[in-house]
Amino acid sequence: MKRVNKIILSLLASILMCACSDYMPKPKGYFRIDLPEKSYKTFHKDGFPCSFEYADNVSMVKTSDIGADSVWIDVIYPKCNARIYGTYRKVEGNFNQLSEEAYRLVYQPHVSKADGINTSFFGDDDHKVYGMFYELKGNTASNIQFAMSDSTHHFLRGALYFNANPNKDSIAPVVDYIKEDIINLINTLEWK
């Protein structure tokens, strides 16, 4: 009886070994992200020196007044766990300093982690809105930043951050989704 049990166990073990020889591991994947449809509405608040369009599925939060000439205002994407940190500064002969600071905040902390930084110039002569749009590729803390100004009175800077560890593959659809909103914000920006 023992001998029969050994033969049966040997046969079962050899069948199992042959059956599992074509094992193929599943590739790593990410959850599907269903992004909501969007439409835009105008941000036009008393006391704020500019207006622009923003997506209707976000919230705008004035986080603080830095001083009489500066305001922090954030665009929050609660479903995407993201935030655009915005800073408005009044230009008082310090345009070069403000633009160098914006440039430094893009390159200094991110150049070592970025796979590349794409830079685009935006200009609207009718509304006197000019600036730079930075798209940071790779696992960087901030994926998109921008700085807009009329170079004489107004300066607006923004940076997109996620409340998560950077992983370019998993957040790529959300970055593209928010990128459309940022470009729309820039294209509709008007100084008061």
Side-chain angles (χ1 to χ4, degrees):
M1 194 58 144
K2 289 183 180 181
R3 187 173 177 186
V4 174
N5 286 340
K6 286 183 181 180
I7 293 172
I8 292 174
L9 283 175
S10 297
L11 285 172
L12 284 175
S14 60
I15 290 172
L16 287 174
M17 284 186 197
C18 292
C20 295
S21 64
D22 291 335
Y23 173 72
M24 185 73 122
K26 291 184 179 180
K28 186 176 181 179
Y30 299 101
F31 293 108
R32 178 180 170 177
I33 301 171
D34 290 323
L35 299 168
E37 293 291 322
K38 56 185 158 186
S39 60
Y40 294 100
K41 58 185 177 181
T42 302
F43 175 80
H44 185 79
K45 300 282 184 196
D46 290 336
F48 200 75
C50 63
S51 65
F52 51 84
E53 289 184 1
Y54 66 101
D56 63 353
N57 61 348
V58 303
S59 58
M60 303 289 290
V61 177
K62 182 178 176 183
T63 55
S64 70
D65 290 324
I66 303 169
D69 302 328
S70 301
V71 178
W72 285 345
I73 189 160
D74 297 347
V75 181
I76 301 171
Y77 288 82
K79 292 186 178 184
C80 299
N81 205 16
R83 180 182 290 233
I84 300 170
Y85 291 90
T87 305
Y88 170 83
R89 308 267 310 263
K90 187 174 181 181
V91 176
E92 296 175 330
N94 59 347
F95 174 74
N96 287 339
Q97 176 188 353
L98 293 172
S99 58
E100 286 175 16
E101 179 182 315
Y103 179 85
R104 189 178 71 249
L105 288 170
V106 170
Y107 282 91
Q108 196 173 48
H110 300 104
V111 76
S112 63
K113 293 281 186 187
D115 296 337
I117 300 175
N118 296 339
T119 306
S120 303
F121 174 76
F122 278 85
D124 180 355
D125 291 330
D126 294 336
H127 297 105
K128 294 187 180 0
V129 176
Y130 310 98
M132 300 301 290
F133 176 84
Y134 304 95
E135 189 171 6
L136 295 90
K137 302 292 185 180
N139 290 328
T140 58
S142 175
N143 303 93
I144 296 174
Q145 295 194 26
F146 63 93
M148 307 305 293
S149 181
D150 66 352
S151 73
T152 56
H153 298 96
H154 308 284
F155 193 91
L156 179 66
R157 182 184 174 287
L160 170 65
Y161 285 91
F162 288 89
N163 189 23
N165 290 332
N167 185 339
K168 66 181 178 183
D169 295 329
S170 66
I171 63 171
V174 181
V175 170
D176 291 340
Y177 178 80
I178 297 174
K179 177 182 171 182
E180 291 175 11
D181 293 350
I182 293 172
I183 290 172
N184 185 67
L185 182 152
I186 291 169
N187 285 329
T188 60
L189 180 65
E190 293 183 25
W191 309 114
K192 293 183 185 175

Short mmCIF file of all heavy atoms in Angstrom, two decimals, residues 84-87 142 144-148 156-160:
data_model
loop_
_atom_site.label_atom_id
_atom_site.label_comp_id
_atom_site.label_asym_id
_atom_site.label_seq_id
_atom_site.Cartn_x
_atom_site.Cartn_y
_atom_site.Cartn_z
N ILE A 84 -2.73 73.17 -7.35
CA ILE A 84 -1.88 74.15 -8.00
C ILE A 84 -1.67 75.26 -6.98
O ILE A 84 -2.62 75.94 -6.60
CB ILE A 84 -2.52 74.72 -9.28
CG1 ILE A 84 -2.79 73.60 -10.28
CG2 ILE A 84 -1.62 75.80 -9.89
CD1 ILE A 84 -3.64 74.03 -11.46
N TYR A 85 -0.44 75.41 -6.53
CA TYR A 85 -0.11 76.47 -5.59
C TYR A 85 0.16 77.73 -6.39
O TYR A 85 1.10 77.78 -7.19
CB TYR A 85 1.12 76.09 -4.77
CG TYR A 85 0.87 74.95 -3.80
CD1 TYR A 85 1.08 73.64 -4.18
CD2 TYR A 85 0.41 75.21 -2.52
CE1 TYR A 85 0.83 72.59 -3.30
CE2 TYR A 85 0.17 74.17 -1.63
CZ TYR A 85 0.38 72.88 -2.02
OH TYR A 85 0.13 71.85 -1.14
N GLY A 86 -0.65 78.74 -6.18
CA GLY A 86 -0.51 79.98 -6.93
C GLY A 86 -0.05 81.13 -6.04
O GLY A 86 -0.49 81.25 -4.90
N THR A 87 0.81 81.96 -6.58
CA THR A 87 1.30 83.14 -5.87
C THR A 87 1.22 84.34 -6.79
O THR A 87 1.78 84.32 -7.89
CB THR A 87 2.77 82.95 -5.43
OG1 THR A 87 2.88 81.76 -4.66
CG2 THR A 87 3.24 84.14 -4.62
N SER A 142 7.08 68.33 -8.67
CA SER A 142 6.12 69.16 -9.39
C SER A 142 6.23 68.83 -10.87
O SER A 142 7.33 68.78 -11.42
CB SER A 142 6.42 70.65 -9.17
OG SER A 142 5.58 71.45 -9.94
N ILE A 144 4.24 70.43 -13.43
CA ILE A 144 3.98 71.59 -14.27
C ILE A 144 4.13 72.84 -13.42
O ILE A 144 3.65 72.89 -12.28
CB ILE A 144 2.57 71.54 -14.88
CG1 ILE A 144 2.44 70.34 -15.82
CG2 ILE A 144 2.25 72.84 -15.62
CD1 ILE A 144 1.05 70.13 -16.37
N GLN A 145 4.80 73.84 -13.98
CA GLN A 145 4.90 75.15 -13.35
C GLN A 145 4.77 76.22 -14.42
O GLN A 145 5.04 75.97 -15.59
CB GLN A 145 6.24 75.30 -12.61
CG GLN A 145 6.38 74.34 -11.45
CD GLN A 145 7.51 74.69 -10.52
OE1 GLN A 145 7.91 75.84 -10.41
NE2 GLN A 145 8.02 73.68 -9.83
N PHE A 146 4.35 77.40 -14.00
CA PHE A 146 4.23 78.51 -14.94
C PHE A 146 4.46 79.82 -14.21
O PHE A 146 4.32 79.91 -12.99
CB PHE A 146 2.86 78.52 -15.63
CG PHE A 146 1.69 78.71 -14.70
CD1 PHE A 146 1.19 79.97 -14.44
CD2 PHE A 146 1.10 77.62 -14.08
CE1 PHE A 146 0.12 80.16 -13.58
CE2 PHE A 146 0.02 77.80 -13.23
CZ PHE A 146 -0.47 79.06 -12.98
N ALA A 147 4.86 80.82 -14.98
CA ALA A 147 5.05 82.18 -14.46
C ALA A 147 4.55 83.14 -15.52
O ALA A 147 5.01 83.11 -16.66
CB ALA A 147 6.51 82.43 -14.14
N MET A 148 3.58 83.99 -15.16
CA MET A 148 2.97 84.93 -16.09
C MET A 148 3.10 86.35 -15.54
O MET A 148 3.02 86.55 -14.33
CB MET A 148 1.49 84.60 -16.30
CG MET A 148 1.22 83.15 -16.70
SD MET A 148 2.11 82.60 -18.15
CE MET A 148 1.34 83.58 -19.41
N LEU A 156 2.25 86.40 -11.72
CA LEU A 156 1.52 85.25 -11.21
C LEU A 156 2.33 83.99 -11.49
O LEU A 156 2.73 83.75 -12.62
CB LEU A 156 0.14 85.14 -11.87
CG LEU A 156 -0.73 83.96 -11.45
CD1 LEU A 156 -1.13 84.08 -9.98
CD2 LEU A 156 -1.96 83.86 -12.33
N ARG A 157 2.57 83.23 -10.45
CA ARG A 157 3.34 81.99 -10.58
C ARG A 157 2.51 80.85 -10.03
O ARG A 157 1.78 81.01 -9.05
CB ARG A 157 4.63 82.11 -9.76
CG ARG A 157 5.51 80.91 -9.88
CD ARG A 157 6.75 81.03 -8.98
NE ARG A 157 7.47 79.79 -9.02
CZ ARG A 157 7.08 78.67 -8.44
NH1 ARG A 157 6.00 78.64 -7.73
NH2 ARG A 157 7.79 77.57 -8.56
N GLY A 158 2.58 79.68 -10.67
CA GLY A 158 1.85 78.51 -10.21
C GLY A 158 2.67 77.24 -10.35
O GLY A 158 3.53 77.14 -11.23
N ALA A 159 2.41 76.28 -9.47
CA ALA A 159 3.11 75.00 -9.50
C ALA A 159 2.15 73.88 -9.11
O ALA A 159 1.44 73.99 -8.10
CB ALA A 159 4.30 75.01 -8.55
N LEU A 160 2.10 72.84 -9.91
CA LEU A 160 1.23 71.69 -9.68
C LEU A 160 1.96 70.66 -8.81
O LEU A 160 3.08 70.25 -9.15
CB LEU A 160 0.82 71.05 -11.01
CG LEU A 160 0.11 69.70 -10.93
CD1 LEU A 160 -1.24 69.83 -10.25
CD2 LEU A 160 -0.04 69.09 -12.32
#
